[in-house]
Amino acid sequence: VKPVLVHFPGAVNSKFTTQMSFQQPSTHPAIPTYRVMDSDGVIVDKERETPDVPDEEILTWYKNMLTVSIMDLIMFDAQRQGRLSFYMKVSAGEEGIAIGSASALHPSDVIFAQYRETGVFQQRGFTLAEFMNQLFANCKDGGKGRNMPVHYGSSALNIHTISSPLATQIPQAAGAAYALKLQSLQNPNIMPRICACYFGEGAASEGDFHAALNIAATRSCPVVFICRNNGYAISTPTLEQYRGDGIASRGVGYGIDTIRVDGNDIFAVREVTKKAREMALQDGGKPVLIEAMSYRVSHHSTSDDSFAYRARVEVEDWKRRDNPITRLRKWMQAKGLWDEEKEKEARGRLRREVLKAFAAAEREKKPPLREMFTDVYEEVTEEGRSQMVELGRLLDTYPAEYDVEAFEGGREG
Amino acid sequence: MLRNGTRSKSLEVVCSTRSFRRYSGNPPPARLNAPIDYSITPLLHHTAKSLQTSSLSSKSPAARLNLFQAINGALTHALRTDERVLVFGEDVAFGGVFRCTVNLATEFGSERVFNTPLSEQGIIGFAIGCAAQGMKPIAEIQFADYVYPAFDQLINEAAKWRYREGETGGNVGGLVVRMPCGSVGHGALYHSQSPESLFTHVPGLKVVMPRSPSQAKGLLLAAIACNDPVIFLEPKSLYRAAVEQVPTAAYHIPLSKAEIMKEGKDVTVISYGHPLYTCSAAIAAAEEELDVSIELLDLRTLYPWDRETVLQSVRKTGRAVIVHESMINAGVGAEIAATIQDGAFLSLEAPVQRIGGWATHMGLVFEKFNIPDVARVYDAIKRTVEY
């Protein structure tokens, strides 16, 4: 019997069948994980070309991964000493995803991040001073001291400021991508560009993930969704996060081209992102989903002791077995690009650079007090102005109760 | 049908012997609670002459439009004059369930006027992203009752965007969110709500509600031009009912500016949106029967609101009545009343009265008893005057 296409508008390519069979997730093979090099830094497929990147660029990636990881260690300790209110030991184990993917984007591509993408900022050119000014929320912080540490942002680098609510950036990235698409349609002088949107596998459980992938697909938005699947959302392992085949299997359900990649393999991440960017701009624009697998080596944040919910030995295993930094280092050493001497020199130098920026940022005053009221609206409202006056009156009446000298301009700020 | 399958005899008897109105209505002898006659209400510009003598006076010709047509006109103008403007939401492409976007997709194309999947958080998140890249998205939430899935996006994201971006200057000021709101006679729990006070508690958002077609056009164009995100609430009961002369040219009505619709010297009545018609009728009755002169204020922008105009009026009259459809507790009226006692304390001759929805939900058949009607506003005026 020849299968007959259904006429139902909701599933036009479906055919009728007389075999009653429920689709079972267990009978669908898990989506494979793409890799270029193994955990010893050896290119797996001998037939393929080595990465299409000059050695100097690979050295920059490595340096950037090291910088992020060294900054993480220093800032984590600084928070422990009470010199910083909060820190996300953000990147350990995920430096390859951030830096590998960012290296494949065009500088004009717009980025929406979650908070564990310090490497993206580093790769794009966010300076150590900018990191430190934000972390210390001082008067040189572009965010004017309003955001918690690690909520970086840079319009110059086309990265929107990070916000704490999880997954909210995902539908925003779809909308921003649609805007980019329309702008290049309306003005042919504007180069077509994409949005890249990062989020963790835990955030993918939020309704905004669903809303975003669906609207991105229906409106054909040039957006690359990059999910960092590191196995944990704070204390929740993925077994309690979902029962499907990770995040990648969902992309297909939304009609989105999808790939899963080894997140500890910077070459694979870069290659996949590069291709995804190309695909996102094809056929008038479309979304692409990348699920990058990794392991969150560090605690969730400085407010978290992850050994309360996972074995120390599991973490130590991961640190030893595989991480993106040592993997690339092994590759570079095999190629004669790197050695123990260079490693020692680079680590020492980066540590000194980070500490220098740290000390400079810590010395700066906080932003002027008026910045508490500005930027709520484009103009300060009449109500806002009257409350600024009222705060001034309080400061004058109770000068001993407030530390205004820590703020630029003090009382008059 | 009863559970055993037999029809209730008593119900049959009742249904066949009494004539029921489908919805709760006004009894025939009602003096105050007569239906609003929109064709004669002084709130609408029924003639070109009335328009010319109003604050909207312009050289532009005018046309008779209802509220949805005025909204449509404003959207058409915005789309025509600024290619950054986009219009989207659920079912907007064919013209919208209230016809506000009729013909827009045909004229401006499906790239700029389009349907979204049925997801409020998606619509607003998408709109915020568009605005963050410099577009001017006008997103529609089909009913204000369904804005809650998008609350996180509006409150944590849209409202805080400019503040958290700091000196990078990023903002989503191009965003306007339109939503039909308010009672409509039979909307029950989820087609009647007035959630404005949930937004007036959010720094970073502007909240606007027009009272008429001419106001809607000017306020919507101002909202679109405004560089802050705006929640634009449209009283759906006025979409077809309110018809008046509307200038055909584009014009802006300033945000955060209340309008004194009628001058008076004994009592100030402050309201916005649909209840202004109720207030107007109550004022007419009160002035005739109580020998008082009443000032009527349309707040228009509910946040950031025009405190000075309200305070000046109450300092003059010494009495204030605030009327809105949403619940009294923590409603917009609470903020106004508190501001009046703070800013006009020495002028007050009576407690500030608040008239609003009761502390309940909009049960289908109870609507007429729940929303402020002419009798309740009249009663509030009377008690304030006689205090």
Side-chain angles (χ1 to χ4, degrees), chain A residues 68 72 86-92 94 98 111-121 131 134-135 148-153 159-169 197-203 226 228 230 232-235 296 298-301 304:
Chain A
V68 169
D72 265 4
F86 173 84
Y87 191 70
M88 293 223 135
K89 196 170 172 187
V90 283
S91 300
E94 297 175 53
I111 290 177
F112 287 80
Q114 180 166 305
Y115 52 60
R116 214 177 287 282
E117 292 88 5
T118 304
V120 173
F121 283 84
F131 281 122
Q134 199 285 328
L135 292 169
M148 276 176 85
V150 188
H151 292 50
Y152 310 116
I159 315 179
H160 285 292
T161 299
I162 287 166
S163 73
S164 304
L166 285 181
T168 47
Q169 79 277 17
C197 179
Y198 295 84
F199 51 91
E201 90 285 348
I226 303 173
R228 299 174 289 94
N230 64 17
Y232 287 93
I234 305 188
S235 75
R296 198 191 79 214
S298 64
H299 301 304
H300 165 70
S301 73
D304 173 48

Side-chain angles (χ1 to χ4, degrees), chain B residues 269-281:
Chain B
V269 174
I270 305 146
S271 188
Y272 52 87
H274 183 242
L276 283 164
Y277 294 85
T278 311
C279 293
S280 177

